[in-house]
Amino acid sequence: MMHDNRIRRFPMLLSTLVALALAVLPLPAVLEPLRPDFLVLVVFYWCIESPRAGGLGLAFVSGLALDLVHGVVLGQHALALTLMGAWATHLRLRIRVYSVLSQCLTIFLLLTGYQFVLFWVDGATGNPVTTFSRWLAPFIGALLWPALVNAFGNLRGRS
Amino acid sequence: MVAFRNTDTSQRTTGLLLRCVLYSLLALGLIIVDKRYDHLGRIRRVLSVVAYPVQVAVASPFDGWNWFKDSVTTRDALRADKAKLEAELRIAQFRLQRYEALEAETQRLRALRESTVGVTDRFVIGDVMDVDLDAFRERVLVDKGAGDGVYVGQAVLDSGGVFGQVARVGQLTSEVILVSDPAHAIPVQINRTGLRTIAVGTGDMNRLKLPYLPTSADVIAGDLLVTSGLGGGFPAGYPVGTVAEVKRDPAQSLADVDVKPAAALERSRELMFVWLKPQTAEVLPTPAAPKPAAPKPAAPKQAAAKP
């Protein structure tokens, strides 16, 4: 069991770093609101795939990293990611046996919850973002989910 | 195929709820401490150094491409550039001829009125990093930080006019909030009439607005807005924008004024961080003594230092 977990750590850290880089990659202003929350998807994946390897600690630390690179109040993304990561971990056995469509819908729900926590903290700390485009990211993220799971499955299958 | 390989469903994550609650409380505590108190400033400054490699890694392909583009420019293009720059320099020098005299005169007049608002002392040039911060806020990351003396609230200009101010400082980088951010407001003055008001961002990089002008205010399209220097954050007299459109609805008490920013908010790559001269009594000169603040002409104007 220990051995198993140790093997999984490397792809986990690598994918987390890559997703963090994607989160700050410059995009044209038009596409920017459409940018999916890559890091959140990756954290969800690892929460569902092997909750013991990373789990909530990974979610919390990734959230802090997002707070830093986005330059928002410290703890905002960490809170959202922790809550939704815990939910994903709780649902993981069900999600694994879901059909693709149901998986996408579940992920969409989780991503929307994530955005909602961000939205709430934004408002509570006094700088609300009221544009509707914020709610587009969960759609794109949910659409990306099957591709992400496939890619990760293949990655791990080869190694 | 969408399938997870890890099928040992017997694994129970022990104490998921407990850990969730603990981490959430930790995050909430961080939010509250960061928002309410200023203790996290130092921690954040150190942590931003950790984020720096990621930001540099993301920005480097774009830097590399720019460098590549620069190094394959043709001789003709360089020549044309040089001719253009020389022409611009000639015009700028011509305009500068009377600047020193005018500045001295302004200082004397200001001294008479005992107002010594915002005089620039020195500046440092920083490069905008090719990194996206928040998609919903108008901010950029610049490669100068606390290590270079940058401080929160510092005025930032580009070659066209006022660009924004420093919102947050890391050790190596700083975040600049643009004048067009909806959360940003800047005290301005209409150059033609001297009327003072506040320009507020709209979230659109090509538009600011003046929401606090009465319908009867003397403002017309084409008016230049300059910083008034009130509030002490910005140096006085730098262009903020030009009035694009004035809509007066007789039923409303306030006019609807659109302003086009003077700075190239979307395109500027090089920004100037401005230090204001400390406002002490010595800034009020007697007419005999011409400006005791000695280092003014010889101010250390650092050229763009690209790391």
Side-chain angles (χ1 to χ4, degrees), chain B residues 10-67:
Chain B
S10 61
Q11 273 190 26
R12 289 198 61 234
T13 47
T14 43
L16 176 65
L17 186 65
L18 181 71
R19 279 184 302 144
C20 174
V21 168
L22 275 182
Y23 279 125
S24 302
L25 284 181
L26 191 55
L28 269 177
L30 271 178
I31 293 173
I32 292 167
V33 173
D34 196 16
K35 181 69 191 163
R36 295 271 164 190
Y37 313 99
D38 208 21
H39 302 315
L40 286 185
R42 192 176 297 270
I43 299 173
R44 183 188 274 278
R45 197 185 288 175
V46 174
L47 282 178
S48 75
V49 178
V50 183
Y52 189 65
V54 176
Q55 289 161 338
V56 168
V58 168
S60 55
F62 297 89
D63 284 349
W65 171 244
N66 284 339
W67 176 85

Side-chain angles (χ1 to χ4, degrees), chain A residues 36-37 40-41 44 80-81 83-85 87-88 103-121 132-143:
Chain A
D37 306 300
V40 184
L41 287 176
F44 284 172
L81 210 44
L83 288 175
M84 291 306 136
W87 199 3
Q103 278 191 22
C104 286
L105 285 176
T106 316
I107 293 299
F108 174 71
L109 189 70
L110 290 171
L111 285 173
T112 311
Y114 170 79
Q115 286 294 342
F116 184 79
V117 178
L118 292 189
F119 178 67
W120 175 75
V121 176
F132 262 103
S133 48
R134 127 168 280 164
W135 305 102
L136 285 174
F139 273 108
I140 314 272
L143 289 179

Side-chain angles (χ1 to χ4, degrees), chain B residues 57-99:
Chain B
V58 168
S60 55
F62 297 89
D63 284 349
W65 171 244
N66 284 339
W67 176 85
F68 177 73
K69 259 198 325 202
D70 280 354
S71 42
V72 297
T73 333
T74 60
R75 192 185 151 89
D76 282 348
L78 284 177
R79 269 205 174 139
D81 253 12
K82 179 165 169 284
K84 194 174 130 240
L85 289 175
E86 270 174 357
E88 275 175 15
L89 181 66
R90 244 192 322 273
I91 295 171
Q93 275 174 339
F94 176 69
R95 285 198 181 142
L96 261 179
Q97 284 173 4
R98 290 195 57 223
Y99 177 79

Side-chain angles (χ1 to χ4, degrees), chain A residues 1 8 17 20-27 32-33 35 45 48-52 55-57 60 64 67-76 78-79 82-83 86 89-90 92-93 95-96 100 103 120-122 125-129 131 133-134 145-146 149-150 153-154 156-157, chain B residues 1-32 34-36 40 43-45 47-48 50-52 54-55 57-59 61-62 129-137 139 141 168 175 183 205 266:
Chain A
M1 186 62 68
R8 267 181 220 126
L17 272 180
L20 185 63
L22 284 176
V24 291
L25 190 75
L27 286 180
E32 227 173 273
R35 180 206 303 267
Y45 176 84
I48 296 165
E49 161 75 26
S50 55
R52 288 203 174 175
L56 287 189
F60 184 77
L64 272 190
D67 289 332
L68 277 175
V69 297
H70 284 314
V72 293
V73 59
L74 220 51
Q76 179 180 18
L79 177 67
T82 304
L83 288 175
T89 314
H90 178 66
R92 72 190 188 286
L93 295 184
I95 293 178
R96 282 186 204 162
V100 181
Q103 278 191 22
W120 175 75
V121 176
D122 267 345
T125 53
N127 40 2
V129 173
T131 48
S133 48
R134 127 168 280 164
W145 176 253
V149 174
N150 258 329
N154 289 342
R156 293 189 350 91
Chain B
M1 176 201 76
V2 176
F4 293 89
R5 278 159 199 284
N6 193 354
T7 46
D8 50 343
T9 51
S10 61
Q11 273 190 26
R12 289 198 61 234
T13 47
T14 43
L16 176 65
L17 186 65
L18 181 71
R19 279 184 302 144
C20 174
V21 168
L22 275 182
Y23 279 125
S24 302
L25 284 181
L26 191 55
L28 269 177
L30 271 178
I31 293 173
I32 292 167
D34 196 16
K35 181 69 191 163
R36 295 271 164 190
L40 286 185
I43 299 173
R44 183 188 274 278
R45 197 185 288 175
L47 282 178
S48 75
V50 183
Y52 189 65
V54 176
Q55 289 161 338
V58 168
F62 297 89
M129 294 176 74
D130 276 307
V131 167
D132 267 351
L133 297 172
D134 207 321
F136 307 106
R137 300 202 173 90
R139 295 184 186 199
L141 193 72
R168 197 167 267 149
E175 267 175 63
M205 280 197 184
E266 290 174 70

Side-chain angles (χ1 to χ4, degrees), chain B:
Chain B
M1 176 201 76
V2 176
F4 293 89
R5 278 159 199 284
N6 193 354
T7 46
D8 50 343
T9 51
S10 61
Q11 273 190 26
R12 289 198 61 234
T13 47
T14 43
L16 176 65
L17 186 65
L18 181 71
R19 279 184 302 144
C20 174
V21 168
L22 275 182
Y23 279 125
S24 302
L25 284 181
L26 191 55
L28 269 177
L30 271 178
I31 293 173
I32 292 167
V33 173
D34 196 16
K35 181 69 191 163
R36 295 271 164 190
Y37 313 99
D38 208 21
H39 302 315
L40 286 185
R42 192 176 297 270
I43 299 173
R44 183 188 274 278
R45 197 185 288 175
V46 174
L47 282 178
S48 75
V49 178
V50 183
Y52 189 65
V54 176
Q55 289 161 338
V56 168
V58 168
S60 55
F62 297 89
D63 284 349
W65 171 244
N66 284 339
W67 176 85
F68 177 73
K69 259 198 325 202
D70 280 354
S71 42
V72 297
T73 333
T74 60
R75 192 185 151 89
D76 282 348
L78 284 177
R79 269 205 174 139
D81 253 12
K82 179 165 169 284
K84 194 174 130 240
L85 289 175
E86 270 174 357
E88 275 175 15
L89 181 66
R90 244 192 322 273
I91 295 171
Q93 275 174 339
F94 176 69
R95 285 198 181 142
L96 261 179
Q97 284 173 4
R98 290 195 57 223
Y99 177 79
E100 295 288 331
L102 283 176
E103 167 123 344
E105 186 179 344
T106 312
Q107 288 303 317
R108 278 199 300 277
L109 291 174
R110 283 243 171 85
L112 284 180
R113 288 164 54 198
E114 299 201 346
S115 82
T116 55
V117 282
V119 181
T120 14
D121 187 15
R122 64 187 183 95
F123 62 87
V124 160
I125 294 183
D127 284 321
V128 175
M129 294 176 74
D130 276 307
V131 167
D132 267 351
L133 297 172
D134 207 321
F136 307 106
R137 300 202 173 90
E138 316 266 325
R139 295 184 186 199
V140 294
L141 193 72
V142 187
D143 66 348
K144 289 281 179 293
D148 306 278
V150 172
Y151 57 91
V152 172
Q154 186 170 22
V156 179
L157 311 175
D158 80 348
S159 54
V162 177
F163 191 86
Q165 59 178 301
V166 178
R168 197 167 267 149
V169 182
Q171 190 59 36
L172 303 169
T173 54
S174 56
E175 267 175 63
V176 173
I177 175 169
L178 273 56
V179 282
S180 61
D181 189 291
H184 191 272
I186 175 172
V188 295
Q189 191 168 25
I190 295 171
N191 203 31
R192 182 172 57 88
T193 59
L195 183 65
R196 284 188 298 268
T197 181
I198 290 174
V200 180
T202 57
D204 174 0
M205 280 197 184
N206 294 312
R207 205 164 69 87
L208 312 176
K209 58 181 193 239
L210 305 177
Y212 308 117
L213 280 180
T215 335
S216 59
D218 180 10
V219 51
I220 51 175
D223 274 349
L224 177 68
L225 295 178
V226 298
T227 46
S228 68
L230 292 181
F234 288 91
Y238 283 90
V240 175
T242 46
V243 174
E245 193 183 4
V246 185
K247 277 172 277 187
R248 290 192 172 89
D249 181 355
Q252 304 287 330
S253 54
L254 295 175
D256 193 2
V257 184
D258 280 354
V259 175
K260 188 176 182 341
L265 297 178
E266 290 174 70
R267 293 186 304 279
S268 278
R269 311 302 304 159
E270 271 138 21
L271 306 179
M272 281 187 285
F273 293 86
V274 179
W275 276 263
L276 300 184
K277 205 164 276 182
Q279 294 187 23
T280 51
E282 62 167 354
V283 190
L284 302 172
T286 54
K291 291 275 321 129
K296 202 253 137 197
K301 296 187 174 177
Q302 293 186 14
K306 208 167 181 172

